[in-house]
Amino acid sequence: MDNVLTEALVRALAVGTPLLLACLGAILNERAGVVNLGVEGLMAVGALAAFAVAASSPDANLWLAVGASMLAGAALALLHAVATITLRANQFVSGLALALIGTGAAGLLGKRFEGLPLFNKVADLSMGGLTVSPFTVAALLLAGAMAFWLGATRSGLTLRSVGENPAAADVLGVNVGLIRVLAVMGGGALAGLAGAFLSLSYRSSWADNMTAGLGWIAVALVIFVGWRPLRAIAGALFFGFLYYLQFRLQGNSPIPTEVFSAMPFILVLVVLALAGVRGQAGNAPAALGRAYVRGER
């Protein structure tokens, strides 16, 4: 029994790590008032960038590969920022386009890396009898740091004010556009980091569609956890355990495997429906999804 529980926890942490990182990035975006549905594409581009750098030579610096993933995610997210903040395009349409561009570009450019070996992978850590990735530790620390930053620092409160009442923040001298652009790029960097975990640690390879819908679950997870970073830890572990349960039940049940593959996405819909019934969506930042134009009410 202990071995089963340990395996379940390790696997839940493994799958929960990219979910947590991507969810934190989305929380950063949305706390500033910007919706970004392109997380799936950002993760895919980050995964490819990390693997391309890491597989370039046996002596490649893995942490340089991690940096490349974050830079790629931030750069692609900048397109969304320009479209929605500068040009005031619809945030939902722009995000969907970003998801398609990111996954499509990663799939096309990544064909040359399919089947290539990764000379080195990010080594796991042994903590309290559990084997975990450094990405997992980083994700947990980032969740705590973000919760503190948003709730107890001047810059964090400034970002929240931009998402709640950008007009009032503007009157107080806050550069609303700049804050939102930086938040979107920061969220993109975290989504790229989530992708790096997949290609450098979890799978240690590159394959098309390796994000497997995790980005979409991360977007929904933001609502599930009420835009709170610490709650995101529990939410990511919950969905990580669900993936583990799907893996354990496949092949041991008369139910078709397609049903188990769809389980996380079905549960996302159920969770979002329950959140709407409970009024969870009412906790969203007041200006979420709305472009800010000085002088308009």
Side-chain angles (χ1 to χ4, degrees):
M1 179 62 71
D2 288 343
N3 290 336
V4 173
L5 291 175
T6 300
E7 181 187 1
L9 180 57
V10 169
R11 287 188 175 269
L13 284 169
V15 178
T17 295
L19 286 175
L20 178 56
L21 288 169
C23 180
L24 292 176
I27 288 175
L28 186 62
N29 293 337
E30 298 192 11
R31 282 289 197 170
V34 181
V35 176
N36 187 353
L37 300 181
V39 175
E40 182 83 1
L42 296 171
M43 289 178 64
V45 168
L48 176 60
F51 187 83
V53 173
S56 61
S57 76
D59 301 320
N61 189 315
L62 291 179
W63 298 113
L64 184 61
V66 170
S69 72
M70 298 181 71
L71 184 61
L76 186 59
L78 180 59
L79 295 179
H80 181 63
V82 171
T84 59
I85 299 168
T86 304
L87 303 179
R88 303 189 183 93
N90 183 284
Q91 295 180 11
F92 297 93
V93 173
S94 176
L96 289 172
L98 193 70
L100 294 174
I101 291 171
T103 53
L108 181 62
L109 299 174
K111 288 187 180 299
R112 57 176 294 202
F113 296 104
E114 291 181 354
L116 290 182
L118 189 64
F119 298 106
N120 298 295
K121 65 170 287 186
V122 176
D124 290 335
L125 304 174
S126 181
M127 301 179 64
L130 297 177
T131 301
V132 298
S133 168
F135 286 93
T136 303
V137 178
L140 295 172
L141 292 176
L142 279 170
M146 183 178 289
F148 175 79
W149 178 66
L150 287 173
T153 68
R154 182 183 180 88
S155 57
L157 294 173
T158 298
L159 181 136
R160 288 172 54 192
S161 70
V162 166
E164 295 289 346
N165 193 334
D170 191 7
V171 169
L172 293 174
V174 175
N175 189 329
V176 173
L178 178 61
I179 294 295
R180 286 187 166 184
V181 167
L182 292 176
V184 170
M185 292 182 68
L190 289 176
L193 182 61
F197 166 77
L198 293 175
S199 60
L200 298 182
S201 180
Y202 186 62
R203 295 186 179 179
S204 302
S205 63
W206 165 256
D208 190 18
N209 195 34
M210 69 186 308
T211 52
L214 291 175
W216 296 109
I217 294 178
V219 171
L221 189 58
V222 176
I223 302 173
F224 179 48
V225 302
W227 292 266
R228 299 184 182 180
L230 291 181
R231 287 187 182 181
I233 297 175
L237 282 175
F238 173 71
F239 280 100
F241 177 75
L242 189 65
Y243 269 90
Y244 167 75
L245 187 63
Q246 165 197 324
F247 172 77
R248 291 284 295 184
L249 292 178
Q250 283 185 1
N252 299 314
S253 171
I255 301 174
T257 57
E258 290 79 8
V259 174
F260 292 110
S261 298
M263 277 176 57
F265 301 97
I266 294 172
L267 191 59
V268 164
L269 295 177
V270 173
V271 164
L272 291 179
L274 291 175
V277 171
R278 294 172 52 198
Q280 186 87 357
N283 296 327
L288 181 62
R290 300 206 305 264
Y292 173 67
V293 182
R294 178 176 288 182
E296 285 189 0
R297 291 190 177 185

